[in-house]
Structures are given as C-alpha cells and as structure tokens.
Amino acid sequence: MTTCRDALRAASGMLAQAGVPDPAVDAAFLLSHVTGTPHLLLRAEGWRELTQSQLADYQALIDRRCQREPLQYILGTAQFMGVTLRAQPGALIPRNDTETLCEQALARMQGRERVLDLCTGTGALAIAIALQFPGAQVTAADISADALAVARQNIADTGARVTLRQGDLFAAAAGERFDIIVSNPPYITAEEMADLQPEVCREPALALYGGLDGLDFYRRIAREAPDYLLPGGWLLLEIGSAQAEAVSALLAERFEALAVYPDMQGLPRAVAARLRECARV
Ligand code: GLN
C-alpha cells in the first residue's frame, strides 16, 4: 500500500532528478489534482492510502512534469489576480509578473472606461479588469486563433464582459479610441530565445519572441497607440527587466508621466505613460 506521504516523497525525488525547480511544491499540486485533496492538507493527511488507479494517474502526471511540461499546462489552470483561468499550450501561461501591469491599469480606472488589451493570450488582463469593473467596455485582441480559443473559454468560464477580436496589434481595433491600452507583448530577444527554461519552450514562440532586440512590438505600439487613445489616455506595457530604459525612450516623444513599476522580485516589469495632449492626431 502506498500512502500520500510515500507518493509525495517518491515523486519529489523524481522531479528533483529531472531538474524541476520546486519539486516538493509541484509534487503536492499534482497529487492534489489526482486526489481532489487541497494540497495544503496532503501533508497533514499523509497517512491516507492511494488507490491503484490514483497511483497510476499520479505517475503519469509526474512523468509529464519530468519531461518539463509546465505545471499549469498539466493542471490545465493558472491563477491570475485571484481568478482561475484555463492554461493550454496555444497561449502563454498567465504569470504573477503580469499582475504588476494589471494593478497599474486598475489603479487608473474609475469604472466606465474603454479598455483595449493587445496580445491578450488567455485573456488574463482583460478578464481581471472586466471582473473588477463590470461597467467598463473591455476589448481584447490577439493575432493567434489558438490563443483566442483559450481566451473565449476563459471569458465564458468567468462570466467577464469582454469583447474578443482577432488581428495583428491595432488592426483589431481600427477606427476606435480607448481610455486605457494594456499589453503584455512578446519581448524576448533572439539571444534569450536560445536559452529559455525547458518549460518556457513549451509555450508558443509567437507569444514570446519580440525580434532581435526584443523591442519590435514596443516600436509598433509606441508609434500606433496615439491613434487609438482618447485625450489623456494611458498606455500600460509589461516589459522585460532590462528594457525599462529602451521602452521609456520609445515613448518619450508622444507620452508623458512615464513611470516604471517593479514586480515581486523588485525587477522593472511595467511601464505606464499618458498620451501628450499635443501628440494626438
Ligand atoms: N515574461 C515572460 C518570460 O520571461 C515573457 C512574456 C512575454 O514575452 N510577454 O518568459
């Protein structure tokens, strides 16, 4: 007979052997997924015995994680701003880092704003904003049909009021203007793409690769966003931790009140900027 405690210990060892960064944590999340027991209770109830079928299911999930499949793709879910979202290989996994950007967008809202989320992926930013401000008009766009399929499910699951559009950046919002534009665009450089964690390699390259220097999307957004913002509108962007200066420089001409915000590790992670009145065309 195998108890939860035995299974956790064995699984942690296998995950550690495979180089998984937090083996004990992942072992507990996956056992919780198989048994339905909240993961914090698994240790307290370590004496519980697992059935043969639970053991087989658990081993199958541990094998996948040993192959460095991301934990969230195996669980099928990720948490973002307290909301449970579906995580599937067609879309970038929502990250805690991106909550920095979301908090800054929320801090600039009163409730009835028109908001555009570019490169929405799973829909995480748009959904979190729409759930907090049900009176806002939130539009989310992505170029990827696979990502939009995940976003559509997340919108349905959460009941968030979000309009989805397919298109390449602003092409999805032609002729419209917004109070707030948020985006977590692809921003990984060519050099970094060659050296990604095995887990990140399982995520869509389309959602990660930002061109040779990682700044391609910021150049396009800095140039085009003024045509899609209302007077005094805000542009909020997630950035790579080394990109604060370069992105600020791209925005300096047509935006003011530039501010950079750190993530939980203290690294620069989001930039906010307000459209200069005179810059509007
Ligand atoms: N933060 C992600 C990573 O480092 C990248 C997300 C993005 O390119 N927008 O893997």
Side-chain angles (χ1 to χ4, degrees):
M1 278 299 142
T2 306
T3 64
C4 281
R5 188 178 297 118
D6 300 334
L8 283 172
R9 191 179 301 124
S12 295
M14 286 183 257
L15 293 171
Q17 193 73 32
V20 171
D22 296 307
V25 172
D26 287 20
F29 269 108
L30 291 168
L31 188 57
S32 170
H33 189 69
V34 166
T35 59
T37 305
H39 72 277
L40 291 174
L41 277 185
L42 284 172
R43 283 185 187 282
E45 299 187 9
W47 46 267
R48 264 187 208 285
E49 285 176 4
L50 296 171
T51 66
Q52 283 307 313
S53 97
Q54 283 176 326
L55 267 179
D57 290 348
Y58 189 44
Q59 188 61 54
L61 300 188
I62 294 297
D63 288 345
R64 286 169 66 186
R65 190 69 190 94
C66 283
Q67 299 297 315
R68 306 301 294 274
E69 190 173 339
L71 178 68
Q72 295 89 340
Y73 283 163
I74 301 174
L75 298 173
T77 56
Q79 304 294 320
F80 185 77
M81 297 296 289
V83 182
T84 301
L85 296 170
R86 294 186 195 219
Q88 285 170 20
L92 193 82
I93 297 166
R95 288 158 164 66
N96 292 133
D97 289 346
T98 307
E99 294 179 344
T100 298
L101 174 63
C102 195
E103 285 162 11
Q104 291 306 323
L106 294 171
R108 286 166 175 76
M109 292 194 57
Q110 265 146 19
R112 310 203 58 80
E113 284 82 355
R114 298 172 56 94
V115 180
L116 174 64
D117 174 13
L118 287 177
C119 313
T120 194
T122 57
L125 283 163
I127 289 168
I129 292 169
L131 289 177
Q132 297 241 3
F133 290 101
Q137 292 179 52
V138 183
T139 301
D142 206 288
I143 195 171
S144 157
D146 290 341
L148 286 174
V150 180
R152 192 168 298 114
Q153 286 182 322
N154 279 324
I155 290 167
D157 291 349
T158 57
R161 275 191 52 216
V162 174
T163 306
L164 268 188
R165 304 263 178 78
Q166 184 168 15
D168 185 8
L169 284 188
F170 290 102
E176 291 179 63
R177 289 193 186 261
F178 301 86
D179 298 287
I180 295 184
I181 297 175
V182 297
S183 183
N184 174 17
Y187 56 70
I188 305 285
T189 67
E191 204 181 320
E192 290 165 341
M193 285 299 286
D195 197 25
L196 291 177
Q197 267 193 352
E199 284 81 0
V200 182
C201 292
R202 305 290 194 102
E203 297 184 271
L206 188 64
L208 295 166
Y209 183 52
L212 213 53
D213 65 358
L215 299 172
D216 281 5
F217 290 87
Y218 301 115
R219 286 191 194 91
R220 288 178 60 191
I221 292 171
R223 195 169 57 236
E224 297 176 36
D227 296 338
Y228 295 86
L229 280 169
L230 289 160
W234 285 94
L235 174 64
L236 296 112
L237 302 170
E238 178 164 316
I239 55 166
S241 55
Q243 294 170 329
E245 241 176 80
V247 173
S248 300
L250 287 171
L251 298 175
E253 190 188 332
R254 303 188 71 181
F255 292 85
E256 58 192 4
L258 256 78
V260 178
Y261 299 93
D263 61 21
M264 277 193 299
Q265 280 83 52
L267 299 171
R269 190 56 65 192
V271 170
R274 190 174 56 218
L275 183 64
R276 278 184 205 275
E277 290 298 318
C278 58
R280 202 164 73 88
V281 284

